[in-house]
Amino acid sequence: MSETITTEQVWQQVQLLYHGHDKQIADADRWLKDYQRTEGAWISLEQLLKTEGLNEETQFFAANTLKSKITRGDLQQLDPKAQEALGGSLMAHIYKFRNGPMTVRKQLCLAFSSYAGESDKIGSNIVEEVCKALGSSPDTMPVLLDLLTLLGEEAARVQEDSVDLPPDQHHHLYTSACQSALAVLNFTHQCFSSLQGDGAHVKQGKGQVMTCFCRWLRFGTVPPEQIVQSPIVHAALPAIQDADLCEAASDLLCELAYISREMPKGLPIFQMLTAALETFEGLVKKAMQEEDDILGRSITRVIVEMGESYAPILAQASPDAVRMINLICLCASNPDRRIASITFGFWYRLSESMKEFPEETRVKCVEAMEAPLSQLMIVLTRAATFPEEHEEWKENEQDEFRNFRLEALFDAVLDLSSMFGSLRGLKIVLPELQKHVQSCSWNQDGWRAVEGCLFIVRVLARHISTDENEVVPALLSLYTHLPEHPRVRQAFTVVIAKFSSWLNLHPEALGPLLEYVVRGLGPSKTGTLAAESLQELCDDCAEHMTGSANLEGLMQIYNNIDALEMPQQEKILEGFGSVLARTPSEQMAHMLGIVSGPPIRDGMAALERHDRALLSMQIKKLKTLLKGGVSACDDRSGRRKSCNKEVLAKAWAASFANAWPMFEQSIIQFGHDETLMEEVCRCIRSAIQAIGLEFKAFLSPFATAAVNAYIKHPLSCILYAVTSVVSFFGKYPEFVGPLSEMLAALSARTFQVFSSGEAFVNSPDIVTEYFEMMERAVRRFPQVIYSSPLGENALSCGVASLYTKLEHREAIRAILSFMENIVLSDANKENQELCRADREAAMIFLVGQGPGPCGTSPQPRGQSMVQALIYAITTKPSVVIEPVATIMYDLGRFMPNQRMEWVMAGLAVVPANVLSQSAKGMF
C-alpha cells in the first residue's frame, strides 16, 4: 500500500465498512487493516481528528487506530521529534472531544495512557502536564478524571511488566505516577467536594472520582492514617448499597483491603474495614433476602478481598477472626453460584497460611474454626446440587454448571479438606446424605440433594485412608437405599471407583458394589461411567477379581461385550487384561487362551469376508487386553498385587502365536488401508511390551511383512511399529544384524518417497516416524549405524529436509533429535568404555566426507549438518532454536575445533537474503 493516503480515501473506506454490502465490507476491512500499519497513517489520522463535521464512525476509527498503533509498537515509525509532538497532539484531541462522543473520547484517553507507557517523552510531572493541557474547569473534570484513571492503570501495568528492570529501578511512567499520586488524590478530593446532591449527573461524577481515587492508591505516597480520613473513603461504605455507585465503591473498598495487607503499616485501614463487619453482614443478608444480585456480588467481593488480604491474621483463629470467617461462609451460601464462587479462592489462601504453622498450633486453630468450616462443607454440598430448573437449561447452561462443579467447587472442597482432613469432611457429609436418602421415600425430587452430596464424597474419597473402618462402610452400604435416578447412579458409580483402593483392602464389600456398577452398563452416559469404574476396580482389586464368583461375573460381561459401545468395551477390556495378568500362574495361559480366542476367531472370519470394520474391532480388542496386562506389570504404586511378568509373557506369546496369522494376513491383504494398519501396528507394539523377548519367534515374519507392506504402501504407522521392535531388540547383539537389514530396506523406500522437497512437506508423518526410528537405532547400536551407508544416507536425508519448506513441528523435532543423538552418543553412558567408543565412532562419522547439501561438493558430514542447522534457525519456526542450541553446545563439548570451523563455513554459504552480514558477525 502506498504511504501517501488522503483523508478522503480513509473516510470513503470507513463508510463502506459500516454501510456497504458484504463484498464492500470485506474489501474495506482489508484495506483499512493494511492502512493502519503504514507510516503515513499517522499524518492522515491527525488530519481526520482535526477535521470538523465528520461522523462518529470516522472519528472513532481514527481514535481507535491511533491507540492500536501505539500499543502495537508503531511509535518507532516516528522520529524522536514527532514522537514527542504526538503527546501534545493527543491532548489537543482529548480536549476537543472532552464532551463527546464518549466512544471517541475513551479511545483517545486510552491512546494517551498507552503513549505514556510506551514513550519516554512524557514529563516527570504527568499530572501537572495533563491538568495544564485540559484545564481544571467543571467542563473538563469528567475527561480529566477518565484520563487520570487510565494513566494510573497504565503505570501499574507497565511496572508489573518491567520484569527485566533491576529491583531498585522503575519504569519512567511508574516513577512519574509515584511523584504525582498525592496531587492526583488531592485533585479527586476537590472534585468530590464540588459534587453536591443525588442527581444522576452527580452520581456519575462521584463514581468517576471513586474510580480515579482507587487507581492511584497503590502508589503508596499517602499514609494509611490519612487515607482513612478521606471523605471519599467514608462515602464508599454507604455507596455500596447504591446500584449506580456500588461497582466503584466496591472496587475502592477492595483496593483498601489490598493495600493494607502488610501489618502494622496497614493497621488503620484494617481497623476501619473490620469495624464495618456488622454492617457488611447486614448487607449480605439483605442481598440474599431481596435477591439483589448487584449488591450481593459487590459486598461479597469486598468481604472476600478482606479475607484474602488478611488471611495470615484470620488463620490464627482469634474470636474476631472466626467471626469474619463465619461471614465469608455466609457469603458462600448465596444461592447464586456465581456470587458464592467468589469466596472459593479465600479457602485456598487460608489453607496456605495455616500450613506455615507448627502442627500443634494448626490443630488448635482448626478446632477454633470447626463450626464455620463444618458449616461450609454443608454449604458446598448445597452448591453442588442441581437446581430445580436444571431440566430447562440450555446446553451452555449445563456446561457452565458442570465446569463450576469440576473446577471451582472441586478445588474449594479440596482446600477445605486440606485444613481439617478428608475424613472429617466425610463425617460431615454422610449424615446429610443419609437424611436426603431417607427423604427420597416421600420426595421424588430428593435425588438432587443426594447427587450433590455424592459429588462432594467423590472429591473427598481419594484422600480417605484405606484403614478407615467406620464411615466408609456406612457410606458404601447406602447403595441399596439410593433413589433409582440416572444421575444418582452415575454419581455413586463414580464414588465406588474412587474407593477402589479401599475396596482392595476390604474385599468383603466388593461383590455387591461390583454388581451395582455392572448393572449400569449400557448405551448411555451411565454405561460409560460404569465401564470406567469397572476398569478402575479391575486395576486396583485384580487379585480379588480372580476369585471364582467375581471372575465368573467378568466372563459373563466379556461374553456379551459386543452389545456395548466400543469406548465402553475398551475400558472394560483394559481392566480385564489387568485382572488376567494377576490370575494364578497355573491358570494364566488357559484364561488368556479363552479370552483371546473369540477376537482371533472373529478376526479370521472378517478377513475371509473382507470385513475391515469387524477386523479392526477384533484387533482393537486384542490390543486393549494387551495394554491392560502391560499396565498391570508396570504398576509402581505398591497398592496392587504384582504380576509374574515371565509367566504372563509366555502365556501371551502362546496366544499371540494363534493371532499371528491374522496379523500377517491383515498386513498382506490390507497394507494399503491406513486406518486398519494403524490398529495392527498399535497392537504389535502392545504385544512387544507384553511378550518381551518371547516376540523373537515373530521377529523374522514381522520384518518380512512390514518391509513388503512398506515398499508397496509407505505408511508411517509401519515405521512406528518398527521403532518399538528396534527399541526392544536393539539391546541384544544377536538381533542387530537383522534389524539393520530391515532398517536399510525401509530407508531405501523412504528415500524414494522423499525424492523432492515437496514430499517432506506433504508427508510430515513419515518424516516424524522415520527419524524417530533412526534416533532409536542410533541409541541402540550407534557404531553399526555410523559404519554403514545407512547412517550417512539418513543424515543426508535429515540435512536435505531442513532446506525444504517443512514447518511441521513434530517432524522437525524428530529430525533435530536424531542429529542431537548422533552428536551426544550417550546411550551407553552407564558403561564408560563403551560410551567412549560410541563417541569416537560418532566423531569419525561426522568428520568423514559425505555429499554436500543440495548437490554441492563433498565435505565433512558434520559441516553439512551444522550448515543446515544454521539455515533452520533463520527459516524455521522458533521451536528449533532450543534444540539447535543444544546440538551446538554438545558439539562444542566434544569437537570444539571442528564446531568453530564448521560454523564459519556454514555461515559463509548462507545467502545474504536469509542472514545479513551483520547478523552473521553477531552469530
Side-chain angles (χ1 to χ4, degrees):
M1 175 177 285
S2 171
E3 293 291 317
T4 306
I5 299 170
T6 66
T7 55
E8 178 68 20
Q9 288 176 290
V10 179
W11 178 84
Q12 289 175 350
Q13 294 297 324
V14 172
Q15 303 317 300
L16 290 173
L17 180 68
Y18 281 96
H19 305 293
H21 55 67
D22 290 348
K23 186 177 184 308
Q24 289 175 326
I25 292 172
D27 291 343
D29 183 59
R30 275 193 301 274
W31 191 93
L32 289 170
K33 283 179 178 177
D34 290 340
Y35 159 75
Q36 287 175 319
R37 294 185 177 276
T38 63
E39 183 177 336
W42 292 105
I43 298 173
S44 51
L45 290 170
E46 284 285 317
Q47 293 171 345
L48 281 170
L49 289 169
K50 289 178 180 177
T51 302
E52 300 293 339
L54 294 179
N55 56 21
E56 183 177 343
E57 296 157 352
T58 306
Q59 293 168 340
F60 174 82
F61 171 80
N64 178 261
T65 300
L66 273 179
K67 181 202 72 173
S68 299
K69 287 183 75 64
I70 294 169
T71 56
R72 192 169 52 228
D74 287 356
L75 280 174
Q76 62 184 357
Q77 295 175 339
L78 301 175
D79 60 46
K81 188 175 181 180
Q83 283 190 36
E84 188 171 356
L86 179 61
S89 177
L90 285 170
M91 291 305 306
H93 295 318
I94 291 171
Y95 183 82
K96 174 183 176 180
F97 292 98
R98 64 191 181 280
N99 295 319
M102 294 305 165
T103 55
V104 180
R105 188 179 89 181
K106 180 64 177 289
Q107 294 302 311
L108 289 170
C109 288
L110 286 168
F112 184 83
S113 63
S114 297
Y115 168 78
E118 297 296 328
S119 173
D120 58 1
K121 305 302 179 184
I122 206 74
S124 59
N125 193 329
I126 190 170
V127 176
E128 183 178 335
E129 294 184 16
V130 168
C131 291
K132 183 179 179 181
L134 295 179
S136 56
S137 68
D139 183 43
T140 59
M141 186 184 78
V143 68
L144 188 52
L145 286 169
D146 278 350
L147 184 54
L148 290 173
T149 298
L150 292 171
L151 284 170
E153 292 176 354
E154 183 69 12
R157 183 194 68 79
V158 294
Q159 180 60 26
E160 186 177 336
D161 291 348
S162 299
V163 292
D164 54 339
L165 287 177
D168 59 338
Q169 291 187 22
H170 303 294
H171 189 279
H172 67 272
L173 180 59
Y174 182 84
T175 301
S176 177
C178 289
Q179 294 171 351
S180 307
L182 185 58
V184 172
L185 295 176
N186 288 336
F187 172 73
T188 58
H189 282 110
Q190 294 172 14
C191 294
F192 193 75
S193 63
S194 69
L195 296 166
Q196 302 295 325
D198 293 319
H201 178 72
V202 172
K203 283 187 177 181
Q204 182 182 2
K206 287 183 177 179
Q208 280 187 291
V209 170
M210 286 183 185
T211 301
C212 185
F213 183 84
C214 173
R215 295 297 180 269
W216 285 80
L217 281 176
R218 288 198 187 187
F219 300 112
T221 55
V222 181
E225 292 82 2
Q226 285 185 238
I227 291 175
V228 297
Q229 300 299 322
S230 168
I232 300 175
V233 171
H234 291 170
L237 292 170
I240 201 168
Q241 300 182 63
D242 190 316
D244 296 323
L245 292 174
C246 65
E247 183 176 354
S250 60
D251 283 348
L252 175 52
L253 293 172
C254 287
E255 185 68 14
L256 289 170
Y258 178 81
I259 65 173
S260 61
R261 65 194 183 283
E262 294 181 8
M263 298 295 168
K265 180 182 177 182
L267 186 60
I269 299 175
F270 170 82
Q271 291 173 331
M272 180 197 70
L273 291 176
T274 53
L277 284 180
E278 187 174 347
T279 301
F280 291 161
E281 183 177 354
L283 293 176
V284 171
K285 292 178 179 177
K286 177 185 177 183
M288 286 195 282
Q289 289 169 358
E290 298 178 2
E291 298 183 356
D292 187 340
D293 293 347
I294 296 176
L295 175 60
R297 186 177 299 106
S298 298
I299 193 62
T300 298
R301 284 184 57 228
V302 174
I303 294 168
V304 171
E305 185 61 53
M306 289 172 62
E308 293 184 0
S309 296
Y310 309 144
I313 299 174
L314 299 183
Q316 297 172 24
S318 67
D320 288 338
V322 173
R323 179 186 174 195
M324 187 165 179
I325 292 171
N326 269 313
L327 180 53
I328 298 175
C329 285
L330 179 62
C331 294
S333 67
N334 194 304
D336 187 331
R337 62 178 175 275
R338 290 168 297 184
I339 296 176
S341 63
I342 295 172
T343 68
F344 291 171
F346 164 73
W347 307 112
Y348 171 76
R349 295 283 184 90
L350 185 64
S351 65
E352 288 296 300
S353 297
M354 293 179 68
K355 287 178 183 178
E356 299 177 3
F357 295 167
E359 180 63 19
E360 184 178 351
T361 304
R362 194 183 69 81
V363 170
K364 288 181 179 179
C365 291
V366 170
E367 289 175 354
M369 299 180 194
E370 184 171 6
L373 295 183
S374 298
Q375 181 60 33
L376 177 64
M377 185 61 76
I378 295 174
V379 166
L380 295 179
T381 63
R382 292 171 185 164
T385 301
F386 279 90
E388 292 182 9
E389 68 273 12
H390 78 279
E391 292 183 353
E392 302 171 6
W393 278 350
K394 297 177 181 177
E395 186 176 351
N396 66 313
E397 293 173 309
Q398 296 174 14
D399 292 342
E400 181 187 341
F401 185 68
R402 180 175 62 251
N403 293 337
F404 163 74
R405 294 211 306 182
L406 292 176
E407 294 173 7
L409 186 61
F410 196 102
D411 288 344
V413 174
L414 287 180
D415 293 333
L416 181 57
S417 65
S418 73
M419 286 186 277
F420 67 2
S422 294
L423 182 58
R424 175 62 185 151
L426 200 58
K427 287 180 178 178
I428 295 169
V429 176
L430 180 58
E432 290 289 307
L433 176 59
Q434 291 170 328
K435 178 181 70 176
H436 293 309
V437 168
Q438 290 176 357
S439 74
C440 289
S441 60
W442 51 267
N443 179 12
Q444 291 184 347
D445 208 30
W447 69 266
R448 294 187 296 108
V450 172
E451 196 274 346
C453 289
L454 289 175
F455 177 84
I456 302 300
V457 171
R458 162 190 177 178
V459 181
L460 299 170
R462 283 294 191 200
H463 306 280
I464 302 296
S465 170
T466 53
D467 297 331
E468 207 287 317
N469 288 309
E470 180 185 349
V471 181
V472 178
L475 169 71
L476 295 179
S477 65
L478 288 174
Y479 75 95
T480 57
H481 306 290
L482 294 174
E484 192 53 50
H485 189 281
R487 290 194 184 275
V488 173
R489 175 168 284 278
Q490 291 166 14
F492 198 70
T493 297
V494 173
V495 165
I496 292 171
K498 299 302 180 186
F499 281 109
S500 58
S501 296
W502 186 91
L503 288 168
N504 185 43
L505 296 181
H506 300 79
E508 68 279 0
L510 180 60
L513 293 173
L514 185 59
E515 289 181 18
Y516 183 92
V517 171
V518 170
R519 284 201 301 272
L521 291 172
S524 63
K525 182 180 179 181
T526 303
T528 299
L529 292 173
E532 292 173 355
S533 297
L534 186 57
Q535 180 191 354
E536 289 197 52
L537 290 170
C538 287
D539 287 345
D540 282 344
C541 307
E543 61 183 294
H544 307 298
M545 296 287 195
T546 57
S548 58
N550 289 332
L551 190 57
E552 182 179 347
L554 289 178
M555 288 304 299
Q556 289 179 359
I557 297 171
Y558 180 74
N559 292 333
N560 296 284
I561 201 167
D562 286 336
L564 303 176
E565 297 173 349
M566 196 61 207
Q568 295 179 22
Q569 291 187 38
E570 289 186 79
K571 293 291 183 183
I572 295 171
L573 289 170
E574 188 170 341
F576 203 62
S578 182
V579 172
L580 292 174
R582 294 186 180 91
T583 54
S585 299
E586 63 275 10
Q587 299 178 17
M588 192 177 293
H590 174 68
M591 288 301 302
L592 279 176
I594 292 175
V595 171
S596 62
I600 296 172
R601 181 189 64 240
D602 294 345
M604 293 301 293
L607 274 169
E608 293 178 5
R609 298 198 302 268
H610 294 268
D611 189 336
R612 300 183 193 181
L614 179 60
L615 176 60
S616 178
M617 184 182 298
Q618 304 313 313
I619 293 173
K620 186 176 290 187
K621 286 181 180 180
L622 284 174
K623 176 204 69 178
T624 310
L625 285 167
L626 284 160
K627 183 179 177 183
V630 172
S631 175
C633 292
D634 286 344
D635 175 50
R636 296 179 177 87
S637 66
R639 295 183 285 108
R640 308 167 185 168
K641 179 182 176 182
S642 60
C643 62
N644 189 322
K645 293 184 179 182
E646 185 177 345
V647 173
L648 179 64
K650 290 183 179 297
W652 263 118
S655 294
F656 195 77
N658 296 326
W660 175 249
M662 177 182 69
F663 287 111
E664 188 174 37
Q665 190 59 35
S666 297
I667 295 171
I668 294 171
Q669 194 167 323
F670 294 111
H672 61 284
D673 189 319
E674 188 168 8
T675 302
L676 181 61
M677 286 298 293
E678 284 179 352
E679 289 299 335
V680 170
C681 293
R682 289 194 190 103
C683 192
I684 289 174
R685 182 175 184 272
S686 295
I688 294 169
Q689 292 174 329
I691 298 172
L693 204 54
E694 298 293 330
F695 193 83
K696 64 185 178 182
F698 313 103
L699 193 55
S700 179
F702 167 75
T704 301
V707 169
N708 289 338
Y710 190 76
I711 290 173
K712 292 180 181 178
H713 310 286
L715 299 176
S716 62
C717 58
I718 297 175
L719 302 178
Y720 163 83
V722 172
T723 300
S724 297
V725 173
V726 171
S727 181
F728 184 84
F729 287 97
K731 297 178 290 185
Y732 302 96
E734 63 267 31
F735 298 112
V736 170
L739 291 177
S740 299
E741 293 176 6
M742 177 169 59
L743 292 178
L746 294 171
S747 295
R749 183 66 179 96
T750 301
F751 300 150
Q752 292 176 359
V753 172
F754 297 146
S755 57
S756 66
E758 291 76 14
F760 288 97
V761 179
N762 296 333
S763 305
D765 52 340
I766 296 180
V767 176
T768 303
E769 298 300 342
Y770 176 74
F771 283 102
E772 285 186 353
M773 179 183 74
M774 291 307 301
E775 175 199 344
R776 189 58 53 182
V778 166
R779 293 194 65 79
R780 288 293 180 260
F781 37 92
Q783 295 185 49
V784 173
I785 296 296
Y786 302 150
S787 62
S788 69
L790 179 58
E792 178 177 312
N793 293 335
L795 182 60
S796 296
C797 181
V799 166
S801 70
L802 296 180
Y803 288 99
T804 69
K805 295 181 179 180
L806 177 68
E807 293 191 354
H808 189 276
R809 292 177 180 235
E810 285 301 308
I812 294 173
R813 183 204 59 77
I815 295 165
L816 297 179
S817 184
F818 164 68
M819 293 178 176
E820 181 182 350
N821 275 278
I822 292 176
V823 172
L824 202 55
S825 291
D826 67 341
N828 295 305
K829 59 185 176 183
E830 301 300 327
N831 184 328
Q832 291 186 3
E833 185 177 343
L834 183 56
C835 185
R836 190 181 303 111
D838 289 344
R839 281 181 176 157
E840 288 177 357
M843 288 188 280
I844 293 171
F845 173 72
L846 290 172
V847 299
Q849 293 287 308
C854 306
T856 57
S857 303
Q859 61 186 32
R861 300 184 187 98
Q863 180 175 326
S864 297
M865 182 182 74
V866 168
Q867 182 175 326
L869 292 173
I870 294 172
Y871 185 85
I873 287 180
T874 61
T875 60
K876 301 296 181 190
S878 60
V879 293
V880 308
I881 295 175
E882 185 174 344
V884 168
T886 301
I887 296 172
M888 293 296 193
Y889 173 77
D890 290 331
L891 195 60
R893 287 168 57 202
F894 305 120
M895 308 176 70
N897 295 333
Q898 288 87 349
R899 181 185 69 171
M900 181 60 68
E901 178 185 336
W902 293 341
V903 167
M904 298 306 294
L907 288 172
V909 297
V910 175
N913 64 330
V914 174
L915 198 64
S916 66
Q917 196 62 39
S918 60
K920 291 179 182 181
M922 291 174 63
F923 192 93

